[in-house]
Amino acid sequence: RGVPQDDTEAVRLYYLAAKQGDASGLLNYGQCLEQSRGVLQDYREAARFYSLATEQGRAEAMCNLAALCGSGMGVPQDIAEAARYYRLAAEQGDVHAQHNLGVFYATGRGVPQDFGEAARLFHLAADQGFVRSQLYLGSIIFQQHYAGRALPGAPGEAARFIAQAAQQ
């Protein structure tokens, strides 16, 4: 605000910060590379910058690196490694990582299928107002209830989360 948007200048400044090892600079420059904002798209370089920011504990970088690992963009596809990065970010309270790791547990992708753990992770994200997690949590509680494997709070809890999502 106050100055015109200039992606080229933003990239230059992010790169300068990244060269100095600044975690935010590393993350932001990686996002520019991944999203082709002001620079040519380069998933491999984006992954490298995310990895450096991850080493400094940046949850958002962990989440972005997990997505690249899961898709095989810029790095060899490694679903277990994606789950590991999502877990690290989820432990820091990153709502996207909590949701995505919940999806992994619900589907058995990169981790053993565990509906209880999926519900726990969706609950963490849902409590932060993450709409998709509210829907997924409601759905998983209903599914498990009707399959005879009721999770705590079913089905009233499920209806509550679905209603919360609908209100948003």
Side-chain angles (χ1 to χ4, degrees):
R1 303 175 205 241
V3 295
Q5 182 174 330
D6 183 347
D7 285 346
T8 303
E9 179 64 7
V11 168
R12 187 183 76 75
L13 294 172
Y14 290 148
Y15 181 73
L16 289 174
K19 275 182 48 176
Q20 294 177 21
D22 178 77
S24 292
L26 292 163
L27 169 66
N28 289 317
Y29 188 66
Q31 289 173 327
C32 290
L33 289 164
E34 181 182 2
Q35 298 165 10
S36 189
R37 276 194 348 250
V39 291
L40 291 176
Q41 192 168 51
D42 187 337
Y43 292 113
R44 187 165 28 102
E45 274 297 285
R48 187 172 75 81
F49 280 90
Y50 290 153
S51 182
L52 293 169
T54 292
E55 290 172 7
Q56 294 185 39
R58 286 300 300 260
E60 188 176 355
M62 293 171 192
C63 209
N64 293 351
L65 188 54
L68 293 178
C69 288
S71 67
M73 298 177 83
V75 294
Q77 186 174 30
D78 187 338
I79 306 302
E81 188 73 351
R84 184 177 79 80
Y85 283 120
Y86 280 137
R87 183 173 296 105
L88 290 170
E91 289 169 356
Q92 291 187 41
D94 185 282
V95 67
H96 295 98
Q98 291 166 343
H99 176 81
N100 291 335
L101 187 57
V103 171
F104 277 30
Y105 274 103
T107 61
R109 186 171 190 232
V111 295
Q113 190 172 43
D114 182 338
F115 292 109
E117 181 63 4
R120 184 187 76 78
L121 289 159
F122 289 143
H123 204 292
L124 290 171
D127 284 346
Q128 295 180 65
F130 197 68
V131 175
R132 280 186 293 159
S133 285
Q134 292 168 342
L135 291 170
Y136 277 52
L137 180 58
S139 176
I140 204 169
I141 291 171
F142 272 133
Q143 288 172 356
Q144 293 303 296
H145 174 76
Y146 290 111
R149 298 182 297 267
L151 296 169
E157 183 93 351
R160 181 175 69 82
F161 279 107
I162 291 172
Q164 280 179 348
Q167 291 173 1
Q168 297 181 46

